[in-house]
Amino acid sequence: MKYFGLVATLLAAGFAVISCAPKAENTVEAPPAPEPLRAVLTADSQQALTPEKVLEELKAGNRRFADGQLTRRDYLAQADATASGQYPKAVILGCVDSRVPPEIIFDQGIGDIFVGRVAGNVEDVNLVGSIEFATKVAGSKVIVILGHTSCGAIKGAADGVELGNLTELLNDFDEPIARADAATEGEANSANAAFLNLAIEENVRQTIADILDQSPVITEMVEDGELAIVGGVYDLASGRVAWLDS
Ligand SMILES: [Zn+2]
């Protein structure tokens, strides 16, 4: 009972303070918060998009994220609106790294983007098949291969880490690591920042080349201008994506 008595006293005191506070007069009221976004992509709005427009939207979304201007969304409304069908505009292949969540860093909502994630954002037959579905079947206009600074997969591969099934996965990075080693001074290990940063870029370029090599479906769509495939490296510290020249 003592506890409830104390709470009642504190509440009464708080109420007294609030009720005695001078009324604010002639103050400018803050503008009302914008309504959360409920709209989702539809067959028509997806159809109207071009690869160039989608890439601009992803770049703008990353700028909003890095500037602390994320869009407010009503996720439940978006879930309800997309339950009967999805028309995403892009597919992102990124790293499993917990610090690089594509929907957040590109400021996208439910139904906006497909996402595939694997350590070191490297392709395999399952991921290429998934990307073919996302583009040829489901209509996405852009493929983004997204690396990131300080990627543990590239670091581990450069440092010769061996562990269970990870050993085989890390072998996938041999070629980009060799190219980065040839193009930079010093040791080819994770302590060499210039080497590591170039290896991360080269790995993104390698994944793009391998996807095009393995998928006539995707290559034909790119050649026909229906689809763009681009690479970027996300900076863990700034939150910004540095887009690579194609
Ligand atoms: Zn990574």
Side-chain angles (χ1 to χ4, degrees):
M1 290 306 287
K2 262 186 184 169
Y3 173 76
F4 290 111
L6 178 63
V7 170
T9 307
L10 286 172
L11 282 174
F15 182 77
V17 169
I18 289 166
S19 60
C20 291
K23 290 223 167 59
E25 306 245 350
N26 300 324
T27 52
V28 179
E29 285 192 17
E35 284 293 302
L37 183 66
R38 295 183 174 83
V40 297
L41 283 164
T42 63
D44 286 344
S45 57
Q46 184 200 51
Q47 179 76 28
L49 289 168
T50 62
E52 295 72 27
K53 172 76 175 142
V54 171
L55 189 54
E56 275 313 308
E57 289 187 2
L58 293 175
K59 288 179 176 178
N62 178 242
R63 285 194 295 270
R64 289 194 299 275
F65 168 72
D67 291 341
Q69 303 290 328
L70 279 176
T71 305
R72 283 180 67 225
R73 290 184 167 83
D74 184 336
Y75 287 117
L76 287 178
Q78 289 195 319
D80 186 54
T82 53
S84 57
Q86 62 171 339
Y87 305 93
K89 59 191 167 190
V91 49
I92 317 289
L93 174 56
C95 183
V96 291
D97 196 295
S98 67
R99 299 163 293 182
V100 193
E103 286 89 346
I104 296 176
I105 68 166
F106 289 115
D107 190 23
Q108 300 298 311
I110 289 176
D112 287 341
I113 57 173
F114 287 102
V115 176
R117 296 177 71 171
V118 61
N121 40 272
V122 65
E123 90 301 333
D124 65 13
V125 65
N126 301 315
L127 286 162
V128 174
S130 301
I131 294 170
E132 287 173 341
F133 168 75
T135 54
K136 189 70 178 178
V137 180
S140 288
K141 316 271 184 180
V142 169
I143 302 167
V144 178
I145 309 304
L146 186 66
H148 66 95
T149 57
S150 201
C151 182
I154 311 295
K155 284 180 169 181
D159 294 346
V161 166
E162 295 192 0
L163 172 71
N165 293 277
L166 186 60
T167 306
E168 189 179 333
L169 171 60
L170 296 188
N171 288 337
D172 282 336
F173 308 114
D174 287 351
E175 287 183 52
I177 283 175
R179 286 202 299 277
D181 184 23
T184 52
E185 303 285 327
E187 297 284 307
N189 61 36
S190 64
N192 181 346
F195 157 79
L196 180 64
N197 290 336
L198 184 58
I200 287 164
E201 280 190 30
E202 286 295 329
N203 180 53
V204 170
R205 292 194 172 92
Q206 184 74 45
T207 299
I208 292 173
D210 288 345
I211 288 172
L212 293 172
D213 195 42
Q214 290 169 30
S215 175
V217 171
I218 292 169
T219 299
E220 187 182 356
M221 290 182 77
V222 170
E223 286 173 353
D224 290 348
E226 303 167 54
L227 177 66
I229 180 165
V230 299
V233 175
Y234 174 77
D235 186 308
L236 290 182
S238 71
R240 293 185 193 276
V241 173
W243 298 90
L244 303 185
D245 296 332
S246 49

